[in-house]
Structure formats: C-alpha cells, structure tokens
Short mmCIF file of all heavy atoms in Angstrom, two decimals:
data_model
loop_
_atom_site.label_atom_id
_atom_site.label_comp_id
_atom_site.label_asym_id
_atom_site.label_seq_id
_atom_site.Cartn_x
_atom_site.Cartn_y
_atom_site.Cartn_z
N ALA A 26 87.10 122.93 111.53
CA ALA A 26 88.45 123.50 111.68
C ALA A 26 88.46 124.58 112.75
O ALA A 26 89.44 124.75 113.47
CB ALA A 26 88.91 124.07 110.34
N ALA A 27 87.35 125.32 112.87
CA ALA A 27 87.27 126.38 113.88
C ALA A 27 87.45 125.82 115.28
O ALA A 27 88.13 126.43 116.12
CB ALA A 27 85.93 127.11 113.76
N ASP A 28 86.84 124.67 115.55
CA ASP A 28 86.95 124.08 116.89
C ASP A 28 88.37 123.57 117.15
O ASP A 28 88.89 123.70 118.27
CB ASP A 28 85.97 122.91 117.03
CG ASP A 28 84.52 123.37 117.05
OD1 ASP A 28 84.27 124.58 116.85
OD2 ASP A 28 83.63 122.52 117.27
N GLU A 29 88.99 123.00 116.13
CA GLU A 29 90.36 122.51 116.30
C GLU A 29 91.32 123.65 116.59
O GLU A 29 92.18 123.55 117.47
CB GLU A 29 90.80 121.73 115.06
CG GLU A 29 90.09 120.40 114.90
CD GLU A 29 90.64 119.58 113.74
OE1 GLU A 29 91.54 120.10 113.02
OE2 GLU A 29 90.17 118.45 113.55
N LEU A 30 91.18 124.76 115.85
CA LEU A 30 92.06 125.90 116.09
C LEU A 30 91.79 126.50 117.46
O LEU A 30 92.73 126.88 118.18
CB LEU A 30 91.89 126.96 115.00
CG LEU A 30 92.81 128.18 115.15
CD1 LEU A 30 94.28 127.78 115.05
CD2 LEU A 30 92.48 129.25 114.12
N ALA A 31 90.53 126.61 117.85
CA ALA A 31 90.20 127.17 119.17
C ALA A 31 90.85 126.33 120.27
O ALA A 31 91.40 126.88 121.23
CB ALA A 31 88.69 127.23 119.36
N GLU A 32 90.81 125.02 120.14
CA GLU A 32 91.45 124.16 121.14
C GLU A 32 92.96 124.38 121.15
O GLU A 32 93.58 124.43 122.22
CB GLU A 32 91.14 122.69 120.85
CG GLU A 32 91.75 121.74 121.86
CD GLU A 32 91.48 120.28 121.55
OE1 GLU A 32 90.58 119.99 120.74
OE2 GLU A 32 92.17 119.42 122.14
N ALA A 33 93.56 124.50 119.96
CA ALA A 33 95.01 124.72 119.89
C ALA A 33 95.39 126.07 120.49
O ALA A 33 96.43 126.19 121.16
CB ALA A 33 95.47 124.64 118.43
N VAL A 34 94.57 127.08 120.27
CA VAL A 34 94.86 128.41 120.83
C VAL A 34 94.75 128.38 122.35
O VAL A 34 95.59 128.96 123.06
CB VAL A 34 93.92 129.46 120.21
CG1 VAL A 34 93.93 130.76 121.01
CG2 VAL A 34 94.32 129.74 118.76
N VAL A 35 93.73 127.72 122.87
CA VAL A 35 93.60 127.60 124.33
C VAL A 35 94.81 126.86 124.90
O VAL A 35 95.36 127.25 125.95
CB VAL A 35 92.28 126.89 124.69
CG1 VAL A 35 92.28 126.47 126.17
CG2 VAL A 35 91.11 127.82 124.42
N ALA A 36 95.24 125.79 124.24
CA ALA A 36 96.41 125.05 124.71
C ALA A 36 97.65 125.93 124.70
O ALA A 36 98.46 125.89 125.64
CB ALA A 36 96.63 123.80 123.85
N ALA A 37 97.82 126.75 123.65
CA ALA A 37 98.97 127.65 123.58
C ALA A 37 98.92 128.69 124.69
O ALA A 37 99.93 129.03 125.31
CB ALA A 37 99.02 128.33 122.21
N ALA A 38 97.72 129.21 124.97
CA ALA A 38 97.57 130.19 126.04
C ALA A 38 97.90 129.58 127.40
O ALA A 38 98.55 130.22 128.25
CB ALA A 38 96.15 130.75 126.04
N ARG A 39 97.47 128.35 127.61
CA ARG A 39 97.78 127.68 128.89
C ARG A 39 99.28 127.59 129.12
O ARG A 39 99.76 127.71 130.25
CB ARG A 39 97.15 126.28 128.90
CG ARG A 39 95.65 126.26 128.97
CD ARG A 39 95.11 124.85 128.80
NE ARG A 39 95.65 123.95 129.82
CZ ARG A 39 95.48 122.63 129.80
NH1 ARG A 39 94.82 122.05 128.81
NH2 ARG A 39 95.99 121.88 130.76
N ARG A 40 100.05 127.39 128.05
CA ARG A 40 101.51 127.25 128.18
C ARG A 40 102.22 128.59 128.27
O ARG A 40 103.42 128.63 128.56
CB ARG A 40 102.06 126.49 126.96
CG ARG A 40 101.58 125.06 126.85
CD ARG A 40 102.38 124.31 125.78
NE ARG A 40 102.23 124.90 124.45
CZ ARG A 40 101.31 124.55 123.57
NH1 ARG A 40 100.42 123.63 123.87
NH2 ARG A 40 101.26 125.12 122.37
N SER A 41 101.53 129.69 128.00
CA SER A 41 102.17 131.00 127.85
C SER A 41 102.37 131.67 129.21
O SER A 41 101.54 132.49 129.63
CB SER A 41 101.35 131.91 126.92
OG SER A 41 101.33 131.40 125.62
N THR A 42 103.46 131.36 129.85
CA THR A 42 103.73 132.02 131.13
C THR A 42 104.04 133.50 130.94
O THR A 42 103.88 134.29 131.88
CB THR A 42 104.90 131.34 131.86
OG1 THR A 42 106.04 131.28 130.99
CG2 THR A 42 104.52 129.92 132.27
N GLU A 43 104.49 133.92 129.75
CA GLU A 43 104.57 135.34 129.40
C GLU A 43 103.15 135.77 129.00
O GLU A 43 102.76 135.70 127.85
CB GLU A 43 105.54 135.58 128.23
CG GLU A 43 106.99 135.60 128.61
CD GLU A 43 107.86 136.02 127.43
OE1 GLU A 43 107.79 135.36 126.38
OE2 GLU A 43 108.60 137.00 127.57
N GLU A 44 102.38 136.21 129.98
CA GLU A 44 100.95 136.34 129.77
C GLU A 44 100.56 137.50 128.88
O GLU A 44 99.41 137.56 128.42
CB GLU A 44 100.25 136.42 131.13
CG GLU A 44 100.34 135.09 131.88
CD GLU A 44 99.69 135.10 133.24
OE1 GLU A 44 99.39 136.21 133.76
OE2 GLU A 44 99.48 134.00 133.79
N ARG A 45 101.47 138.41 128.57
CA ARG A 45 101.16 139.48 127.64
C ARG A 45 100.88 138.93 126.24
O ARG A 45 100.19 139.57 125.44
CB ARG A 45 102.32 140.47 127.58
CG ARG A 45 102.56 141.23 128.86
CD ARG A 45 103.83 142.02 128.84
NE ARG A 45 105.01 141.18 128.84
CZ ARG A 45 106.26 141.63 128.93
NH1 ARG A 45 106.48 142.93 129.04
NH2 ARG A 45 107.29 140.80 128.91
N ARG A 46 101.39 137.73 125.96
CA ARG A 46 101.18 137.11 124.66
C ARG A 46 99.74 136.64 124.46
O ARG A 46 99.27 136.46 123.33
CB ARG A 46 102.09 135.90 124.52
CG ARG A 46 103.55 136.19 124.64
CD ARG A 46 104.35 134.94 125.08
NE ARG A 46 104.02 133.79 124.26
CZ ARG A 46 104.65 133.49 123.12
NH1 ARG A 46 105.63 134.27 122.69
NH2 ARG A 46 104.32 132.44 122.44
N VAL A 47 99.03 136.40 125.57
CA VAL A 47 97.71 135.78 125.50
C VAL A 47 96.73 136.62 124.69
O VAL A 47 95.91 136.10 123.93
CB VAL A 47 97.18 135.51 126.92
CG1 VAL A 47 95.71 135.07 126.89
CG2 VAL A 47 98.04 134.44 127.61
N ARG A 48 96.82 137.95 124.83
CA ARG A 48 95.95 138.84 124.06
C ARG A 48 96.06 138.54 122.56
O ARG A 48 95.04 138.40 121.86
CB ARG A 48 96.34 140.30 124.32
CG ARG A 48 95.57 141.30 123.47
CD ARG A 48 96.13 142.70 123.65
NE ARG A 48 96.06 143.15 125.01
CZ ARG A 48 95.02 143.78 125.54
NH1 ARG A 48 93.96 144.03 124.79
NH2 ARG A 48 95.04 144.16 126.80
N HIS A 49 97.26 138.41 122.07
CA HIS A 49 97.45 138.26 120.63
C HIS A 49 97.15 136.85 120.15
O HIS A 49 96.80 136.67 118.98
CB HIS A 49 98.86 138.73 120.26
CG HIS A 49 99.03 140.20 120.45
ND1 HIS A 49 98.67 141.11 119.48
CD2 HIS A 49 99.43 140.93 121.53
CE1 HIS A 49 98.87 142.34 119.94
NE2 HIS A 49 99.33 142.25 121.17
N LEU A 50 97.22 135.87 121.04
CA LEU A 50 96.74 134.54 120.67
C LEU A 50 95.23 134.56 120.46
O LEU A 50 94.71 133.94 119.53
CB LEU A 50 97.12 133.53 121.76
CG LEU A 50 98.61 133.25 121.93
CD1 LEU A 50 98.85 132.35 123.15
CD2 LEU A 50 99.20 132.61 120.69
N GLY A 51 94.53 135.29 121.32
CA GLY A 51 93.09 135.44 121.12
C GLY A 51 92.77 136.18 119.84
O GLY A 51 91.82 135.83 119.12
N TYR A 52 93.56 137.20 119.54
CA TYR A 52 93.36 137.94 118.30
C TYR A 52 93.55 137.03 117.08
O TYR A 52 92.84 137.16 116.08
CB TYR A 52 94.34 139.11 118.21
CG TYR A 52 94.05 140.26 119.15
CD1 TYR A 52 94.89 141.37 119.18
CD2 TYR A 52 92.95 140.27 120.01
CE1 TYR A 52 94.64 142.44 120.03
CE2 TYR A 52 92.71 141.33 120.87
CZ TYR A 52 93.55 142.42 120.87
OH TYR A 52 93.32 143.47 121.70
N LEU A 53 94.53 136.12 117.16
CA LEU A 53 94.75 135.18 116.06
C LEU A 53 93.49 134.36 115.80
O LEU A 53 93.08 134.19 114.64
CB LEU A 53 95.93 134.27 116.38
CG LEU A 53 96.28 133.19 115.34
CD1 LEU A 53 97.78 132.92 115.31
CD2 LEU A 53 95.54 131.88 115.60
N LEU A 54 92.86 133.88 116.85
CA LEU A 54 91.67 133.06 116.68
C LEU A 54 90.56 133.85 115.98
O LEU A 54 89.90 133.34 115.06
CB LEU A 54 91.19 132.58 118.06
CG LEU A 54 90.00 131.61 118.08
CD1 LEU A 54 90.28 130.38 117.23
CD2 LEU A 54 89.70 131.22 119.52
N ALA A 55 90.37 135.10 116.38
CA ALA A 55 89.35 135.93 115.74
C ALA A 55 89.72 136.30 114.31
O ALA A 55 88.86 136.30 113.42
CB ALA A 55 89.12 137.19 116.58
N GLU A 56 90.99 136.62 114.08
CA GLU A 56 91.43 137.03 112.74
C GLU A 56 91.27 135.89 111.74
O GLU A 56 90.80 136.11 110.60
CB GLU A 56 92.89 137.49 112.79
CG GLU A 56 93.49 137.90 111.47
CD GLU A 56 92.87 139.14 110.86
OE1 GLU A 56 92.35 139.99 111.62
OE2 GLU A 56 92.89 139.27 109.62
N VAL A 57 91.64 134.69 112.12
CA VAL A 57 91.50 133.55 111.20
C VAL A 57 90.03 133.32 110.89
O VAL A 57 89.67 132.91 109.78
CB VAL A 57 92.16 132.30 111.79
CG1 VAL A 57 91.88 131.08 110.92
CG2 VAL A 57 93.67 132.50 111.91
N GLY A 58 89.16 133.60 111.86
CA GLY A 58 87.72 133.39 111.66
C GLY A 58 87.11 134.28 110.60
O GLY A 58 85.97 134.02 110.17
N VAL A 59 87.83 135.32 110.15
CA VAL A 59 87.32 136.19 109.07
C VAL A 59 88.25 136.19 107.86
O VAL A 59 88.13 137.04 106.99
CB VAL A 59 87.12 137.64 109.58
CG1 VAL A 59 86.09 137.69 110.70
CG2 VAL A 59 88.44 138.27 110.04
N SER A 60 89.16 135.22 107.81
CA SER A 60 90.20 135.22 106.77
C SER A 60 90.13 133.94 105.94
O SER A 60 90.81 132.95 106.25
CB SER A 60 91.59 135.35 107.40
OG SER A 60 91.69 136.55 108.14
N PRO A 61 89.31 133.90 104.88
CA PRO A 61 89.17 132.68 104.09
C PRO A 61 90.43 132.26 103.34
O PRO A 61 90.50 131.14 102.84
CB PRO A 61 88.03 133.01 103.12
CG PRO A 61 87.98 134.49 103.07
CD PRO A 61 88.41 134.97 104.41
N ASP A 62 91.44 133.15 103.26
CA ASP A 62 92.68 132.77 102.60
C ASP A 62 93.63 132.01 103.52
O ASP A 62 94.72 131.62 103.11
CB ASP A 62 93.39 134.00 102.03
CG ASP A 62 93.74 135.03 103.10
OD1 ASP A 62 93.05 135.08 104.14
OD2 ASP A 62 94.70 135.80 102.90
N VAL A 63 93.22 131.78 104.77
CA VAL A 63 94.06 131.07 105.74
C VAL A 63 93.45 129.70 106.01
O VAL A 63 92.36 129.59 106.59
CB VAL A 63 94.18 131.87 107.06
CG1 VAL A 63 95.02 131.11 108.07
CG2 VAL A 63 94.77 133.25 106.79
N ASP A 64 94.13 128.64 105.57
CA ASP A 64 93.62 127.30 105.81
C ASP A 64 94.11 126.78 107.17
O ASP A 64 94.93 127.43 107.83
CB ASP A 64 94.01 126.35 104.67
CG ASP A 64 95.52 126.15 104.53
OD1 ASP A 64 96.27 126.40 105.50
OD2 ASP A 64 95.95 125.72 103.45
N PRO A 65 93.60 125.64 107.64
CA PRO A 65 93.99 125.15 108.97
C PRO A 65 95.49 124.96 109.13
O PRO A 65 96.05 125.25 110.19
CB PRO A 65 93.24 123.82 109.08
CG PRO A 65 92.06 123.96 108.17
CD PRO A 65 92.54 124.79 107.03
N GLU A 66 96.15 124.46 108.07
CA GLU A 66 97.59 124.22 108.18
C GLU A 66 98.36 125.54 108.33
O GLU A 66 99.32 125.63 109.10
CB GLU A 66 98.08 123.46 106.95
CG GLU A 66 97.66 121.99 106.93
CD GLU A 66 96.19 121.81 106.57
OE1 GLU A 66 95.57 122.75 106.04
OE2 GLU A 66 95.65 120.71 106.85
N LEU A 67 97.93 126.57 107.60
CA LEU A 67 98.60 127.86 107.69
C LEU A 67 98.37 128.49 109.06
O LEU A 67 99.29 129.07 109.66
CB LEU A 67 98.11 128.79 106.58
CG LEU A 67 98.89 130.09 106.40
CD1 LEU A 67 100.35 129.81 106.05
CD2 LEU A 67 98.24 130.95 105.31
#
C-alpha cells in the first residue's frame, strides 16, 4: 500500500501547478506512513 500511495502522491504533485501545495502532499505521504488508523482507501 505504501508504494501505491507514493505513486498517487507523485502523480498528484505532477498535476499541481499551484506548487505551494506540493509541500503538503509530501507531508501526507509521511504522515500516513506513521498512522496505522489510516487505511489505503482513507
């Protein structure tokens, strides 16, 4: 699931022409990586 989310986050960053958002997309990837209460669908 970690690899699938990482790919989805990279794809979202590629589309983010408002580049200030990219920082927080990266934070999402790291935050989910330490949050066992968050499943792939969430």
Side-chain angles (χ1 to χ4, degrees):
D28 291 6
E29 290 185 357
L30 181 62
E32 181 182 344
V34 165
V35 167
R39 290 173 58 188
R40 296 191 299 269
S41 294
T42 54
E43 280 188 303
E44 292 179 345
R45 294 171 292 186
R46 301 156 50 88
V47 170
R48 175 187 300 272
H49 292 275
L50 293 173
Y52 288 178
L53 179 147
L54 184 56
E56 178 66 28
V57 174
V59 298
S60 300
D62 59 334
V63 178
D64 64 20
E66 287 75 17
L67 190 61

